[in-house]
Amino acid sequence: MILTVTLNTALDITYHVPSLRPGSSHRVSEVTERPGGKGVNVARVLAALGHEVTVTGFSGGTTGRVLRDRLTEVPHLTDALVPVSGTTRRTIAVVDERSGGTTQLNEPGPAISHAEWSAFQEVYEDLLSSASAVALCGSLPPGVPVGAYAGLIRTARAAGVPALLDTSGAALRRGVAGRPDILKPNAGELAELTGSHDPLRATQDARRRGAGTVVASLGPDGLLAATPDSLWRATPPARLRGNPTGAGDSVVAGLLSSLTAHEPWPARLSRALALASATVLSPVAGEFDRAVYEELLPEVMVTGEAHAA
Amino acid sequence: MILTVTLNTALDITYHVPSLRPGSSHRVSEVTERPGGKGVNVARVLAALGHEVTVTGFSGGTTGRVLRDRLTEVPHLTDALVPVSGTTRRTIAVVDERSGGTTQLNEPGPAISHAEWSAFQEVYEDLLSSASAVALCGSLPPGVPVGAYAGLIRTARAAGVPALLDTSGAALRRGVAGRPDILKPNAGELAELTGSHDPLRATQDARRRGAGTVVASLGPDGLLAATPDSLWRATPPARLRGNPTGAGDSVVAGLLSSLTAHEPWPARLSRALALASATVLSPVAGEFDRAVYEELLPEVMVTGEAHAA
């Protein structure tokens, strides 16, 4: 199975309002609620592709119960979340139906105790023994040490399991030191990590900081991948109009799906970008249409060159 | 005991953000959560004044469970909410710490089935037998007939229990036909009901539509009360700066508290306005400071005149 780690899981709530006006009162016309946090989103995409996937991380309180109840409804997905005494956070996405814009409100995560963090590390090590790959995704809740991802990557390496890291800020900066097999930053995270706004330079720089391969997701500009011996660009078939929410998580899912199928880099990037594109085009944020994905797959253009690292 | 009815209970969530910018992502710095819906708020104020109070209405789902758990923590308050298969709504108040403004997002209530509405009416009739007064507060969830309040007022009258109505829109227009003993509209509801923006004319007009007494809450202008034989104005001690959230619910609590103590109208209005003022001045939305309330009480000015209805 493929393992995804979400230390800061969330119950993602989406509200539709005719028009968001600060200082006013709004009747919400539509409410949707689903399990969230990057690793949970990645797992949902992998499960939809037919992979057996296990999610771990933390969950607690009423929102944690709702989240776990909803996970039981997903075929191919196993819930191995570790219970904590705090309460899983909510995120609220307010969609303005007039402008199409989304306003995001993210609660802070629950405080994780030392004992809960230790309990998680044991569960994680056990799960690795049957994992073909692991994705470490998203922010760290309070109480989890900022170097957490570096430690989890080392544990995966010791178990012979390739690890992908997708996070931001200090967790990213410190996590890279653990030498993940794949690092998946977006343009903003890449610039924050390296100080460079030139995607090519920043991607190569990020690799030199410790990652085996860096796959940068550059929104409408597609993907840029720096492997140990080559450089690849994947370009989407056309300018896509839609909701980019979850596109990065689909990139991670595509990379893991093709990694565990032992495909070469060009095929991995095609899958990842076709999945991300199908996610952008989906009417439901973070979901993708299988038929659209398969239609886009042969249209992604991947070009490579020798690496001058 | 005093009975309060909240057909559309809510879990009221408050978020603090440094500054709300539509289209952006925000980290919420502070989250508070408490049982809500107007009748629940009225009950909380009555309980804080030392009255035995019972809350009824509907609750369901995860949010309903959280709401009921929290109600058990309130001394003097008895939970007689009727369980429903739908889920109690959430309301989100987003406080912008820079401007001090509040943006409100209100979920729609759960759909109430015919059987659930019948079950409620039976519970309500039973509760009336030990009630000294009843407050019917707030909006109607989908499935509850728009004339619901008129029927509930008639049931209260048959049981010899004075009824206060505090609602808006069609529920108010149809509810007045049930001839509540007290109607408590704010300026906007009064204008919507009568078509007049002149508070005096609108208050007297609202009374002629069926209410025994109309107590209009006019924000910083205080209260205006049209009883069957007199007209009263209550003026706050000074221009108050603070959060008006819950001030209207404190007016209702003050009116019921003094009604059940058989106080005359001037004393009732003093209590209601002092409570509302203490609520505006409280740092926590919807709460009030007992000492501030007692300090303000003798400072409220009530003037009366013969009624020319």
Side-chain angles (χ1 to χ4, degrees):
Chain A
M1 57 84 175
I2 298 174
L3 180 63
T4 76
V5 173
T6 317
L7 297 175
N8 213 357
T9 53
L11 187 65
D12 287 342
I13 299 167
T14 303
Y15 286 163
H16 284 252
V17 297
S19 173
L20 181 64
R21 287 160 296 119
S24 300
S25 191
H26 306 75
R27 272 170 214 260
V28 175
S29 58
E30 196 191 318
V31 181
T32 56
E33 208 174 271
R34 65 170 203 172
K38 277 171 176 287
V40 171
N41 298 339
V42 169
R44 197 189 290 105
V45 175
L46 284 167
L49 290 172
H51 289 277
E52 293 304 316
V53 61
T54 298
V55 297
T56 188
F58 297 112
S59 83
T62 322
T63 43
R65 272 202 302 279
V66 174
L67 186 145
R68 300 188 79 158
D69 281 353
R70 298 291 297 275
L71 286 180
T72 61
E73 300 162 10
V74 184
H76 303 297
L77 190 150
T78 303
D79 168 6
L81 292 167
V82 174
V84 290
S85 65
T87 296
T88 296
R89 69 198 171 115
R90 284 171 289 224
T91 75
I92 314 260
V94 185
V95 178
D96 182 318
E97 290 184 331
R98 189 175 304 168
S99 73
T102 298
T103 306
Q104 189 75 34
L105 297 159
N106 298 328
E107 294 187 4
I112 304 299
S113 71
H114 186 75
E116 288 163 346
W117 174 234
S118 297
F120 167 78
Q121 287 171 286
E122 273 184 43
V123 167
Y124 173 72
E125 204 169 341
D126 282 355
L127 290 168
L128 282 174
S129 65
S130 46
S132 54
V134 59
L136 306 162
C137 302
S139 60
L140 303 176
V144 169
V146 69
Y149 283 135
L152 298 179
I153 291 163
R154 288 187 198 105
T155 308
R157 187 177 312 111
V161 179
L164 181 151
L165 178 63
D166 180 9
T167 185
S168 58
L172 167 58
R173 214 158 43 243
R174 297 285 298 272
V176 175
R179 309 186 71 84
D181 295 270
I182 305 175
L183 185 70
K184 205 296 289 162
N186 61 27
E189 290 155 356
L190 205 53
E192 202 192 353
L193 176 66
T194 65
S196 166
H197 288 270
D198 171 3
L200 177 57
R201 177 175 298 185
T203 300
Q204 291 175 317
D205 180 7
R207 218 189 71 74
R208 278 190 293 267
R209 286 166 192 257
T213 291
V214 176
V215 180
S217 56
L218 306 172
D221 293 335
L223 303 176
L224 181 61
T227 77
D229 50 20
S230 57
L231 193 66
W232 302 95
R233 276 179 202 280
T235 317
R239 207 78 182 175
L240 305 171
R241 288 181 145 271
N243 187 342
T245 304
D249 302 328
S250 289
V251 167
V252 172
L255 292 174
L256 291 182
S257 173
S258 47
L259 165 74
T260 55
H262 307 289
E263 293 184 333
W265 274 106
R268 294 190 198 179
L269 297 177
S270 294
R271 282 203 193 284
L273 190 54
L275 261 179
S277 303
T279 304
V280 170
L281 291 173
S282 164
V284 182
E287 313 237 321
F288 73 98
D289 185 300
R290 179 97 202 199
V292 173
Y293 161 56
E294 284 169 4
E295 194 181 297
L296 291 173
L297 193 49
E299 293 182 29
V300 173
M301 199 169 69
V302 182
T303 56
E305 56 192 85
H307 196 308
Chain B
M1 57 85 177
I2 297 173
L3 180 63
T4 76
V5 172
T6 317
L7 296 175
N8 212 358
T9 52
L11 187 64
D12 287 341
I13 299 167
T14 303
Y15 286 162
H16 284 253
V17 298
S19 173
L20 181 64
R21 288 159 296 121
S24 300
S25 188
H26 305 76
R27 272 170 214 261
V28 175
S29 58
E30 197 190 319
V31 182
T32 56
E33 208 176 89
R34 63 169 204 176
K38 277 171 176 287
V40 171
N41 297 339
V42 169
R44 197 189 289 106
V45 175
L46 284 167
L49 290 172
H51 290 276
E52 293 304 316
V53 61
T54 298
V55 297
T56 189
F58 298 112
S59 83
T62 322
T63 44
R65 272 202 302 279
V66 174
L67 186 145
R68 301 188 81 159
D69 280 353
R70 299 290 297 274
L71 286 180
T72 60
E73 299 161 9
V74 184
H76 303 297
L77 189 150
T78 302
D79 168 6
L81 292 167
V82 174
V84 290
S85 66
T87 296
T88 297
R89 69 198 169 114
R90 285 171 289 222
T91 75
I92 314 258
V94 185
V95 178
D96 181 319
E97 291 184 330
R98 191 176 304 170
S99 73
T102 299
T103 306
Q104 190 77 33
L105 298 159
N106 298 329
E107 294 186 4
I112 304 299
S113 71
H114 187 75
E116 289 163 345
W117 174 234
S118 298
F120 168 79
Q121 287 170 288
E122 273 183 42
V123 167
Y124 173 72
E125 203 168 343
D126 282 355
L127 289 168
L128 282 173
S129 66
S130 45
S132 55
V134 60
L136 306 163
C137 303
S139 60
L140 303 176
V144 169
V146 68
Y149 282 135
L152 298 180
I153 291 163
R154 287 187 199 105
T155 308
R157 187 178 311 110
V161 178
L164 180 151
L165 178 64
D166 180 9
T167 186
S168 59
L172 167 58
R173 214 158 45 243
R174 297 284 299 271
V176 175
R179 310 186 70 84
D181 296 270
I182 305 175
L183 185 71
K184 205 295 292 161
N186 62 26
E189 290 155 356
L190 205 53
E192 201 191 355
L193 176 66
T194 65
S196 166
H197 287 271
D198 171 2
L200 177 58
R201 176 175 299 186
T203 300
Q204 291 174 318
D205 180 7
R207 219 189 71 75
R208 278 190 293 267
R209 285 167 192 258
T213 291
V214 175
V215 180
S217 55
L218 306 173
D221 293 335
L223 303 175
L224 182 61
T227 77
D229 50 20
S230 57
L231 193 67
W232 302 95
R233 277 179 200 279
T235 317
R239 207 81 183 175
L240 304 172
R241 289 181 144 270
N243 187 342
T245 305
D249 302 328
S250 288
V251 167
V252 171
L255 293 174
L256 290 182
S257 173
S258 47
L259 165 74
T260 55
H262 308 288
E263 293 184 332
W265 274 106
R268 293 189 198 181
L269 298 176
S270 294
R271 280 201 194 286
L273 190 54
L275 262 180
S277 303
T279 304
V280 170
L281 291 173
S282 165
V284 183
E287 314 237 318
F288 73 98
D289 184 299
R290 178 97 203 199
V292 173
Y293 161 57
E294 283 169 4
E295 196 181 296
L296 291 173
L297 193 50
E299 293 181 28
V300 173
M301 199 168 73
V302 181
T303 56
E305 54 192 84
H307 196 309

